[in-house]
Amino acid sequence: MPDDVETIAQRHRPHPSPAPPRHRLLALLGPAFVAAVAYVDPGNVAANVTAGARYGYLLVWVLVLANAMAVLIQYQSAKLGIVTGRSLPQALRPRMRPASRIAFFLQAELVAIATDLAEVIGGAIALHLLFGLPLLAGGCIVGVVSIGLLLIQERRSQRTFEGIVVGLLVIITIGFVGGLFVSPPDWGQTAAGLIPRLRGADSLLVAASMLGATVMPHAIYLHSSLVRDHHDEIGEGRAHRDAAGAKGSRTGRLIHATRVDVVWALAVAGCVNIALLLLAASALAGVEGTDTIEGAHAAITESLGSGVGIVFAVGLLASGLASTSVGAYAGSEIMQGLLDVRVPIIVQRVITLIPALVIIALGSEPTWALVVSQVVLSFGIPFAIVPLMRLTGSEQVMGRWRDGVLLRWVSRVVAAVIIVLNIALLWLTLSGQG
């Protein structure tokens, strides 16, 4: 293990520090909101609307459970970045042989491409719904706009990029929650939906797709680097802490801020996902054709009016733009961390964009492409969460900031549940039972 990693984790054994002042805490927030965009991408939109339209309020508990798992995993990723000063890919690089490192990179890059597929298609569908553009033209526009967003991150500052992504997250929230004011849910049935239960094998498939595909591998890889870069930019990074000679107390404050950041960001993402399910349950229950995003939009427009349909499509467009930009950012960080190769982020954007545009150009059915992307993501999830939990549970890596006994056991249960559900999702999908 490199000396600097051991030194970072073990040099000091500090006592817990008080929470930072409120104004300082606000400056530390932001990275989790960027990562949270992965939880409200077009794939999530399709899954949640389908769940609500088919089963009403039955599967509300799945989203609550999925969000709790996401909070835990994103917190661990961020904590790793704070304590070690390294992203998850960087922390893994010295622990792998060259051949293993390349193989790991290839699967992570495949996951990034699959992620981009769903997000570009989602944005293209939104442009088609709003302006009648062909899907290929819409996909190209989404790609160009995302390149612009990434240039802002690369040439301006990460905090500017974070501000834009948070702004898009606000639009997503308005777009997907707004319909509830027109068609309020049945709150009694919503509460009943918190009780875990299923209704046949098909509901298991939908639940597996909702829960098993909620945790996005690229968000896990990225969050650890987001906090590192964010804190470096505002003068709270690793070099500043070491120079100040107060690494322990500063680390405690940063970890506290990260808890707040993750909880608030994932709470917003969770509310958006639950709102989508509730909207479908209240307005689209039993309606045919809601298994596709276009069908769901048509049903929403017919049931709630064109205004709500437009707001929904705008939210979908913001979702596609924000999530595809964050996905390309993650791909760049994965390459740098695992291979120690720094390529311009625009090159990474093109690498992941081209396969999505090719699939659209070939005339593939968008919903089928989304299903394929979720299957690929299912393969990649264990490769992200298992190493993360091993690292954050290691005293050698994390020092006194390692996960406690209870957190380590909870993490193992969460990892097992996610992996089992993704295996079930793969089996049910490939066997044609979905």
Side-chain angles (χ1 to χ4, degrees):
M1 181 185 301
D3 292 340
D4 59 337
V5 176
E6 294 186 14
T7 301
I8 291 168
Q10 298 178 356
R11 182 180 295 165
H12 300 289
R13 303 289 183 182
H15 296 290
S17 57
R22 180 171 298 179
H23 71 280
R24 195 57 184 162
L25 175 63
L26 291 175
L28 297 173
L29 304 183
F33 285 87
V34 176
V37 165
Y39 295 90
V40 288
D41 73 350
N44 292 100
V45 174
N48 297 329
V49 170
T50 297
R54 283 191 189 178
Y55 302 105
Y57 302 89
L58 180 72
L59 300 178
V60 173
W61 65 273
V62 176
L63 292 178
V64 174
L65 179 61
N67 213 60
M69 291 180 174
V71 168
L72 172 65
I73 293 171
Q74 295 302 142
Y75 167 68
Q76 288 178 310
S77 176
K79 188 171 73 167
L80 177 70
I82 291 171
V83 174
T84 67
R86 293 184 170 209
S87 67
L88 175 57
Q90 286 177 321
L92 290 175
R93 186 175 69 218
R95 294 168 173 79
M96 291 183 173
R97 296 177 180 178
S100 299
R101 196 159 58 235
I102 292 173
F104 194 94
F105 163 74
L106 291 176
Q107 68 81 25
E109 191 69 15
L110 182 60
V111 165
I113 291 172
T115 301
D116 214 33
L117 172 62
E119 293 158 353
V120 171
I121 288 177
I125 291 173
L127 288 171
H128 174 71
L129 296 175
L130 287 169
F131 307 109
L133 293 177
L135 289 180
L136 182 58
C140 292
I141 292 173
V142 170
V144 170
V145 174
S146 66
I147 287 174
L149 293 177
L150 292 169
L151 285 174
I152 291 174
Q153 185 276 333
E154 191 171 49
R155 299 182 180 180
R156 293 285 298 276
S157 70
Q158 178 172 322
R159 296 198 71 193
T160 302
F161 176 73
E162 289 175 2
I164 293 172
V165 172
V166 170
L168 289 171
L169 184 58
V170 171
I171 295 173
I172 294 167
T173 304
I174 295 172
F176 294 152
V177 175
L180 291 180
F181 292 95
V182 179
S183 179
D186 184 319
W187 295 111
Q189 292 191 51
T190 302
L194 296 174
I195 301 173
R197 63 194 191 279
L198 297 169
R199 188 187 302 155
D202 188 57
S203 68
L204 173 62
L205 173 63
V206 175
S209 66
M210 293 165 64
L211 180 56
T214 290
V215 179
M216 293 293 179
H218 71 286
I220 300 172
Y221 295 123
L222 181 62
H223 201 163
S224 50
S225 64
L226 284 172
V227 293
R228 177 200 63 201
D229 296 343
H230 178 93
H231 296 152
D232 283 345
E233 191 169 292
I234 64 173
E236 288 281 2
R238 168 182 162 190
H240 180 80
R241 295 197 303 271
D242 291 345
K247 189 257 184 186
S249 61
R250 290 180 182 273
T251 299
R253 289 197 290 271
L254 293 178
I255 289 177
H256 169 79
T258 290
R259 291 194 195 102
V260 176
D261 196 26
V262 170
V263 169
W264 277 103
L266 271 298
V268 171
C271 287
V272 170
N273 283 319
I274 291 172
L276 283 166
L277 186 148
L278 296 182
L279 177 62
S282 63
L284 308 179
V287 177
E288 296 293 331
T290 55
D291 289 348
T292 66
I293 293 178
E294 302 99 311
H297 174 265
I300 288 172
T301 301
E302 183 177 348
S303 299
L304 305 179
S306 59
V308 176
I310 291 173
V311 171
F312 176 87
V314 169
L316 179 64
L317 177 60
S319 170
L321 291 174
S323 54
T324 193
S325 301
V326 171
Y329 187 1
S332 176
E333 292 296 322
I334 290 168
M335 181 178 291
Q336 182 191 18
L338 288 173
L339 303 184
D340 198 21
V341 174
R342 186 69 177 179
V343 300
I345 199 167
I346 305 308
V347 174
Q348 177 64 36
R349 163 74 284 191
V350 173
I351 290 173
T352 56
L353 178 63
I354 288 177
L357 295 180
V358 169
I359 289 176
I360 293 175
L362 291 175
S364 300
E365 206 282 315
T367 301
W368 174 84
L370 289 173
V371 170
V372 171
S373 72
Q374 296 304 307
V375 171
V376 175
L377 287 174
S378 298
F379 279 112
I381 289 174
F383 292 100
I385 61 175
V386 172
L388 172 66
M389 292 175 179
R390 288 177 64 89
L391 289 171
T392 58
S394 168
E395 185 175 7
Q396 188 178 32
V397 175
M398 302 293 287
R400 75 172 305 275
W401 304 108
R402 71 180 293 201
D403 295 338
V405 174
L406 178 61
L407 182 55
R408 291 201 300 273
W409 278 104
V410 171
S411 298
R412 291 168 186 167
V413 172
V414 168
V417 169
I418 291 174
I419 291 170
V420 168
L421 283 171
N422 276 280
I423 291 173
L425 174 62
L426 288 171
W427 183 78
L428 290 170
T429 301
L430 296 177
S431 65
Q433 298 186 32

